[in-house]
Amino acid sequence: MLLLLGLCLGLSLCVGSQEEAQSWGHSSEQDGLRVPRQVRLLQRLKTKPLMTEFSVKSTIISRYAFTTVSCRMLNRASEDQDIEFQMQIPAAAFITNFTMLIGDKVYQGEITEREKKSGDRVKEKRNKTTEENGEKGTEIFRASAVIPSKDKAAFFLSYEELLQRRLGKYEHSISVRPQQLSGRLSVDVNILESAGIASLEVLPLHNSRQRGSGRGEDDSGPPPSTVINQNETFANIIFKPTVVQQARIAQNGILGDFIIRYDVNREQSIGDIQVLNGYFVHYFAPKDLPPLPKNVVFVLDSSASMVGTKLRQDIGFSLAVQNWVPKGYLDISCVTLQTKDALFTILHDLRPQDRFSIIGFSNRIKVWKDHLISVTPDSIRDGKVYIHHMSPTGGTDINGALQRAIRLLNKYVAHSGIGDRSVSLIVFLTDGKPTVGETHTLKILNNTREAARGQVCIFTIGIGNDVDFRLLEKLSLENCGLTRRVHEEEDAGSQLIGFYDEIRTPLLSDIRIDYPPSSVVQATKTLFPNYFNGSEIIIAGKLVDRKLDHLHVEVTASNSKKFIILKTDVPVRPQKAGKDVTGSPRPGGDGEGDTNHIERLWSYLTTKELLSSWLQSDDEPEKERLRQRAQALAVSYRFLTPFTSMKLRGPVPRMDGLEEAHGMSAAMGPEPVVQSVRGAGTQPGPLLKKPYQPRIKISKTSVDGDPHFVVDFPLSRLTVCFNIDGQPGDILRLVSDHRDSGVTVNGELIGAPAPPNGHKKQRTYLRTITILINKPERSYLEITPSRVILDGGDRLVLPCNQSVVVGSWGLEVSVSANANVTVTIQGSIAFVILIHLYKKPAPFQRHHLGFYIANSEGLSSNCHGLLGQFLNQDARLTEDPAGPSQNLTHPLLLQVGEGPEAVLTVKGHQVPVVWKQRKIYNGEEQIDCWFARNNAAKLIDGEYKDYLASHPFDTGMTLGRGMSREL
């Protein structure tokens, strides 16, 4: 089996042959001779694998997003075929898992350490790929394999990211580019924000290679078929277009980016602090503050390397200049708008209290003014004229331009006395290739860092596909700025405006957030040079005392008028867990209990900061220490980073219940694939995924089949069995312990005709199991052979044909595809529901369930129900006619089917029983048992009718321990 797994950036390929490759949103038509359309279509249909399903499930809990992509494909060709799965993911995201199913083989991804030398190579490769193919803010994950003829493949990819707030909104973008029309295509997003959702919008599908500033994109509404359900703290967005709707958007299957933007409520000026299981996160986003004055220098590359599209973007001209250029200036040809108009817009946006200047550079540094000037209508007009007359010439002196800009800013701040109450910025546009003056990257970085001294923030924009993006990235990282890149063919103007909008309104500078060292450890970065309106500062850490009631927080910062200090004791009541899981495998963490979304947010943020520090550092011992810390954390939490790698383990056989003999599933199921299914609780809950056991260990106490009941008494090593001949539609009380442990289990019967020559008129099976949990929180489970419905305030539907694990505080539901469902409550109660399916059911067969009690330790001594009344009890045989020498497995007895009679004493009652053999665990195991006849009339308390519930969620029980029996 040929396997190829890779992480690349910014390039999307179609599955299939090279001739079938299509560009983003446009089919490729070659000029010249063309093959007839019908022939081309038939050729593609013969060779191209069919994508039967493409689905994305995403859950955002307190800005932290868990996303899983599922893709299923079919090789329709008569020969083996190469097939490729690819997914465009946000560049800020960490891949956490990948599973590939090829035919009946399972290949499971594993995050491992990458050797130091190899890790450095990968980083270079990632950046090289970015230079050649990268898009803003995205990467491409690819996995390839060879699929046998007429066989199937499935791919499951999981990744996580912390959403950043920009321009007052969080943006969650999902790439919907299956590259062919899919019969089942869906995007399902859940958002859980305990602070409350203030606004939410779904943008139209964005199918260009580049998202712009966000302006003008929100006027046509959500994509067709989008359904939004929302309350104060929860939102569910489903996008499920039909094939026809997909074709109307893009016939090549490249639909675009499904984008959700939202914001949350903010009440406290000091921010929102959330705590869960010893970890905390602090969101700080103050508002209603006066803006700080800006000291800004625009540094524009006018070198010869900017000729062509880059020049038109960066300093292009248009007839629009006639509106403001003085007479006599317009003696040049007019071309496209692009970045020039964007710079004009930015200049108009400067506030009266701001100061600015402009520098153009090539092999020479051309300064518009040798000092910063105030913002007036005349100065804005003159600045536009200066930009208008820039012409491309010479080389690129990046170092000289930056040094000159920093000197301008430092000089103004030193002489104005406004330094503590203003923000100094450089907006730097270039193609990023130093060719004149200092050209050594390390020296440019050192010179810039020494000159800026942390007082000047540099925001870089790289234009063109050959930009040295690593240089720009490090310039911004080392000097409290941000970086963006713009491709030659893209709308640089809108991107530049959007980039500037993020930094146009500084509200605070020199922010420091402190927590008591005795209360908080391993906190992420707490010092921030600036806070811009519409953004957010996020700190995460560990609490020393998990039972802490209040956390003292102190924020110091400067705004436009004064030095401010905010002090308060913030209540940190631990969040109650809801009905949610991340779907990712359980990370190692610190080994203290189950992980949660705040812990993973902390690990994500810490890993990002370590990677950033590693990138900035020039000290080799320090870089090695940072590399080791980042690598250890990434391996522990299963993040795919430059210092970790993903290896596919396998293949292992895939157990499929539908392929079992007699069309029924066994108690053994396949290992769960990485299918992330997330609940929608009112409060987020911790991850409760446990290592999967290849064999389910369950007791004999059960009800299965027609229905046949089995009760195991381990102390006396006796097993008792009985039948219940109910009617279709009857709802049986199986376990009733609502008052004590808060658990109730009911089972609903379905009817079927009796087999030919049978002694029964009809058969009955369990078609629905309902489990009600009242402690610690109220939850409902409804299980059928096809699905599991979990309702704990918000509804979650899990298909039974996919292996998933979901959970919350005190509750875990594990589905093994087409095999079984395991429900664990408080760690001390466990039920296993076997799923019985028939490929071609006979008239007397029905898909049905079997109910097994795996752990009853948490059920009380007052537990009742058809099975529950025998738990924590014992039984003994008082009359055994077989005698000690009787062999109960004698062949003659097996031919008859029943053995000798005896009398069983259980709960103080004498019950006539007869020896039988019965198969359990879907026929995999045969047991000896003592059978009580007549619907167990003398074995159970009361009568059969006393065990009938009025509805599936009925928790009442008229019978209990100690009451008189009606015989």
Side-chain angles (χ1 to χ4, degrees):
M1 181 68 67
L2 173 65
L3 297 175
L4 173 64
L5 182 64
L7 179 64
C8 306
L9 306 180
L11 178 65
S12 178
L13 298 177
C14 287
V15 177
S17 62
Q18 181 67 28
E19 289 77 7
E20 296 165 22
Q22 295 173 337
S23 63
W24 294 88
H26 302 281
S27 59
S28 57
E29 293 284 353
Q30 297 183 354
D31 296 331
L33 296 177
R34 294 185 178 180
V35 180
R37 182 177 180 183
Q38 293 84 353
V39 176
R40 295 201 313 271
L41 178 60
L42 288 175
Q43 290 173 345
R44 287 198 299 266
L45 288 177
K46 288 181 180 179
T47 60
K48 190 172 184 179
L50 175 67
M51 182 175 294
T52 59
E53 179 184 352
F54 180 87
S55 65
V56 183
K57 293 181 181 293
S58 188
T59 291
I60 304 168
I61 314 175
S62 298
R63 293 78 145 174
Y64 195 71
F66 303 89
T67 303
T68 291
V69 184
S70 305
C71 177
R72 300 179 185 273
M73 305 193 77
L74 171 66
N75 178 14
R76 299 172 293 178
S78 57
E79 65 276 346
D80 296 354
Q81 247 190 346
D82 289 332
I83 196 169
E84 182 182 64
F85 164 76
Q86 63 169 356
M87 181 65 187
Q88 181 176 318
I89 67 173
F94 284 143
I95 291 173
T96 57
N97 216 328
F98 176 70
T99 297
M100 183 164 58
L101 280 66
I102 307 297
D104 60 351
K105 301 293 190 300
V106 179
Y107 299 84
Q108 179 69 54
E110 179 183 352
I111 304 295
T112 60
E113 292 184 357
R114 187 189 300 271
E115 295 181 2
K116 179 182 177 181
K117 183 177 179 181
S118 177
D120 293 339
R121 281 204 309 268
V122 168
K123 184 63 183 178
E124 293 170 4
K125 181 179 179 182
R126 287 162 61 98
N127 284 319
K128 182 179 180 181
T129 309
T130 302
E131 293 169 10
E132 295 175 352
N133 306 312
E135 287 187 53
K136 170 192 167 187
T138 60
E139 294 181 352
I140 292 291
F141 176 88
R142 290 187 181 88
S144 301
V146 175
I147 301 184
S149 171
K150 309 300 181 182
D151 216 334
K152 298 178 181 179
F155 305 91
F156 304 93
L157 175 70
S158 296
Y159 60 88
E160 302 175 11
E161 64 172 320
L162 177 62
L163 303 184
Q164 298 296 316
R165 189 169 184 254
R166 295 191 176 102
L167 303 178
K169 297 289 179 66
Y170 304 100
E171 181 174 294
H172 185 51
S173 179
I174 297 173
S175 175
V176 187
R177 292 176 170 86
Q179 291 157 45
Q180 59 175 281
L181 302 181
S182 176
R184 289 184 294 174
L185 187 149
S186 65
V187 176
D188 189 344
V189 180
N190 289 326
I191 302 175
L192 299 94
E193 293 289 350
S194 58
I197 300 174
S199 63
L200 185 145
E201 60 179 338
V202 180
L203 275 60
L205 285 170
H206 206 278
N207 199 19
S208 70
R209 290 196 58 175
Q210 180 65 54
R211 294 200 302 272
S213 66
R215 295 187 178 187
E217 295 180 356
D218 309 342
D219 52 0
S220 59
S225 82
T226 302
V227 177
I228 303 173
N229 293 303
Q230 180 183 355
N231 58 29
E232 291 183 0
T233 59
F234 169 76
N236 174 249
I237 302 99
I238 296 178
F239 172 56
K240 199 172 182 179
T242 64
V243 174
V244 174
Q245 290 172 323
Q246 295 174 48
R248 289 174 179 171
I249 299 171
Q251 292 188 3
N252 60 5
I254 302 176
L255 303 188
D257 296 314
F258 186 81
I259 302 173
I260 299 170
R261 289 180 182 159
Y262 76 97
D263 199 16
V264 301
N265 297 318
R266 290 174 176 82
E267 297 180 358
Q268 299 189 52
S269 59
I270 205 163
D272 176 28
I273 296 181
Q274 300 178 17
V275 175
L276 187 60
N277 292 352
Y279 289 82
F280 80 93
V281 59
H282 183 185
Y283 301 102
F284 180 64
K287 55 184 180 179
D288 301 327
L289 295 173
L292 283 165
K294 294 192 301 291
N295 315 314
V296 56
V297 177
F298 298 95
V299 183
L300 313 177
D301 187 345
S302 61
S303 65
S305 62
M306 300 294 287
V307 173
T309 306
K310 288 183 286 185
L311 174 62
R312 293 196 301 272
Q313 293 200 40
D314 203 38
I315 53 173
F317 314 105
S318 79
L319 289 174
V321 298
Q322 295 181 10
N323 296 329
W324 55 268
V325 175
K327 185 176 180 180
Y329 274 99
L330 195 64
D331 58 352
I332 45 89
S333 61
C334 300
V335 291
T336 60
L337 296 176
Q338 297 292 331
T339 304
K340 181 265 307 177
D341 273 351
L343 289 169
F344 296 164
T345 301
I346 290 172
L347 291 179
H348 273 296
D349 193 63
L350 294 172
R351 297 184 176 88
Q353 66 266 35
D354 295 338
R355 298 292 186 270
F356 79 105
S357 187
I358 303 169
I359 293 177
F361 73 96
S362 55
N363 58 327
R364 298 173 54 195
I365 311 301
K366 301 177 183 178
V367 182
W368 172 49
K369 303 288 183 181
D370 61 358
H371 60 279
L372 297 188
I373 65 172
S374 59
V375 176
T376 65
D378 289 343
S379 64
I380 296 299
R381 183 198 62 189
D382 293 345
K384 290 180 177 180
V385 172
Y386 180 77
I387 294 173
H388 171 72
H389 282 284
M390 282 185 176
S391 58
T393 181
T396 307
D397 187 359
I398 290 179
N399 182 74
L402 287 171
Q403 293 296 311
R404 189 71 181 93
I406 293 171
R407 286 200 297 271
L408 275 179
L409 291 167
N410 288 339
K411 178 181 177 181
Y412 172 75
V413 171
H415 290 85
S416 66
I418 197 176
D420 292 338
R421 299 187 305 277
S422 66
V423 173
S424 296
L425 311 174
I426 292 176
V427 178
F428 186 80
L429 284 77
T430 182
D431 69 345
K433 295 285 188 182
T435 60
V436 175
E438 181 57 69
T439 59
H440 191 271
T441 297
L442 186 58
K443 290 185 178 180
I444 294 175
L445 293 170
N446 289 336
N447 293 341
T448 304
R449 184 170 58 249
E450 291 174 2
R453 302 190 309 274
Q455 303 301 311
V456 177
C457 296
I458 301 176
F459 297 84
T460 59
I461 301 171
I463 297 179
N465 296 337
D466 56 351
V467 64
D468 185 355
F469 196 70
R470 292 189 71 183
L471 172 61
L472 300 186
E473 184 180 35
K474 293 195 73 171
L475 279 171
S476 295
L477 280 175
E478 294 181 0
N479 298 280
C480 61
L482 302 171
T483 186
R484 294 287 187 273
R485 93 174 284 163
V486 180
H487 290 272
E488 291 186 21
E489 69 274 14
E490 294 166 352
D491 183 3
S494 62
Q495 293 175 59
L496 176 57
I497 292 175
F499 185 50
Y500 176 78
D501 281 346
E502 296 181 33
I503 61 175
R504 66 186 293 267
T505 310
L507 298 181
L508 294 174
S509 64
D510 301 321
I511 304 109
R512 180 187 181 99
I513 302 178
D514 290 315
Y515 312 94
S518 60
S519 301
V520 171
V521 293
Q522 298 185 34
T524 56
K525 184 173 67 173
T526 57
L527 299 176
F528 304 88
N530 300 300
Y531 167 73
F532 296 97
N533 188 42
S535 64
E536 185 173 57
I537 290 173
I538 304 176
I539 305 104
K542 295 182 180 181
L543 295 178
V544 175
D545 183 6
R546 292 194 175 198
K547 298 180 180 179
L548 193 69
D549 294 327
H550 291 79
L551 178 63
H552 182 75
V553 182
E554 185 172 317
V555 178
T556 58
S558 298
N559 72 355
S560 61
K561 296 182 179 180
K562 59 183 178 180
F563 184 76
I564 62 173
I565 300 178
L566 298 174
K567 296 182 180 180
T568 187
D569 289 331
V570 180
V572 290
R573 291 181 297 273
Q575 297 184 22
K576 294 181 179 179
K579 309 296 175 282
D580 180 81
V581 295
T582 67
S584 300
R586 177 182 176 183
D590 56 9
E592 298 181 3
D594 295 310
T595 53
N596 57 75
H597 68 279
I598 295 182
E599 179 181 352
R600 294 198 68 80
L601 186 155
W602 167 82
S603 63
Y604 172 96
L605 204 55
T606 303
T607 304
K608 285 287 185 182
E609 290 183 1
L610 289 171
L611 292 173
S612 178
S613 298
W614 176 85
L615 186 63
Q616 296 178 50
S617 177
D618 297 320
D619 181 75
E620 287 303 320
E622 176 69 9
K623 285 180 75 74
E624 177 60 17
R625 185 182 66 84
L626 292 168
R627 186 194 69 82
Q628 291 179 1
R629 288 183 58 195
Q631 184 182 68
L633 195 63
V635 170
S636 177
Y637 286 89
R638 301 185 184 178
F639 293 146
L640 185 58
T641 70
F643 304 135
T644 54
S645 61
M646 177 176 285
K647 298 179 180 179
L648 284 179
R649 301 297 184 186
V652 296
R654 182 187 179 192
M655 303 290 293
D656 193 339
L658 291 175
E659 301 298 327
E660 296 292 329
H662 309 294
M664 306 182 88
S665 63
M668 291 180 63
E671 293 189 11
V673 296
V674 190
Q675 173 66 37
S676 175
V677 181
R678 303 173 180 91
T682 56
Q683 297 287 342
L687 172 67
L688 284 180
K689 184 154 185 172
K690 303 293 192 303
Y692 187 79
Q693 300 295 329
R695 175 74 188 189
I696 299 173
K697 298 179 180 179
I698 53 181
S699 73
K700 302 173 185 176
T701 302
S702 61
V703 52
D704 208 340
D706 188 13
H708 302 318
F709 287 76
V710 176
V711 179
D712 189 35
F713 296 99
L715 293 179
S716 57
R717 298 183 180 180
L718 289 176
T719 302
V720 178
C721 50
F722 59 93
N723 294 343
I724 292 293
D725 295 327
Q727 297 297 317
D730 284 355
I731 301 173
L732 309 182
R733 303 181 191 274
L734 304 178
V735 177
S736 183
D737 197 26
H738 183 71
R739 293 184 179 179
D740 293 289
S741 66
V743 175
T744 301
V745 182
N746 296 328
E748 184 176 358
L749 298 178
I750 185 176
N757 304 320
H759 65 281
K760 292 185 177 181
K761 295 182 179 180
Q762 65 175 359
R763 282 186 165 190
T764 53
Y765 303 95
L766 287 174
R767 73 170 176 184
T768 304
I769 300 288
T770 54
I771 303 176
L772 299 89
I773 302 107
N774 201 38
K775 297 177 182 180
E777 292 184 351
R778 194 170 183 84
S779 302
Y780 302 89
L781 274 166
E782 181 180 295
I783 303 168
T784 70
S786 61
R787 66 180 184 179
V788 178
I789 300 176
L790 172 59
D791 193 339
D794 295 285
R795 185 181 177 91
L796 173 64
V797 180
L798 310 176
C800 287
N801 61 357
Q802 298 179 17
S803 295
V804 296
V805 181
V806 300
S808 64
W809 193 261
L811 174 64
E812 176 183 295
V813 180
S814 174
V815 181
S816 182
N818 297 321
N820 55 68
V821 179
T822 303
V823 179
T824 306
I825 305 165
Q826 296 293 328
S828 60
I829 303 172
F831 305 128
V832 176
I833 296 90
L834 297 190
I835 303 171
H836 301 296
L837 302 173
Y838 299 86
K839 294 184 68 174
K840 297 180 180 180
F844 53 86
Q845 293 175 324
R846 296 288 184 270
H847 297 323
H848 65 280
L849 304 172
F851 175 76
Y852 291 76
I853 299 177
N855 186 359
S856 61
E857 291 180 3
L859 296 172
S860 73
S861 59
N862 295 321
C863 182
H864 213 272
L866 285 170
L867 287 175
Q869 62 186 297
F870 302 108
L871 301 176
N872 304 314
Q873 297 293 314
D874 199 10
R876 60 188 176 89
L877 288 177
T878 55
E879 296 181 22
D880 186 359
S885 62
Q886 178 69 46
N887 182 5
L888 295 183
T889 59
H890 192 278
L892 293 178
L893 297 177
L894 296 180
Q895 292 177 12
V896 176
E898 290 189 357
E901 293 187 353
V903 176
L904 182 76
T905 299
V906 58
K907 297 188 297 181
H909 307 296
Q910 307 295 311
V911 184
V913 292
V914 64
W915 179 85
K916 291 189 71 170
Q917 285 191 324
R918 176 159 287 179
K919 291 184 178 182
I920 59 173
Y921 305 154
N922 193 32
E924 288 198 342
E925 185 171 332
Q926 184 167 276
I927 61 169
D928 299 330
C929 66
W930 292 99
F931 179 71
R933 297 188 178 99
N934 301 323
N935 272 0
K938 294 186 178 182
L939 178 66
I940 61 175
D941 292 334
E943 300 176 353
Y944 168 72
K945 65 180 181 180
D946 296 323
Y947 296 87
L948 296 181
S950 58
H951 55 82
F953 299 102
D954 185 5
T955 59
M957 187 71 208
T958 58
L959 296 175
R961 299 211 187 278
M963 71 170 295
S964 60
R965 292 166 52 89
E966 298 178 7
L967 302 178

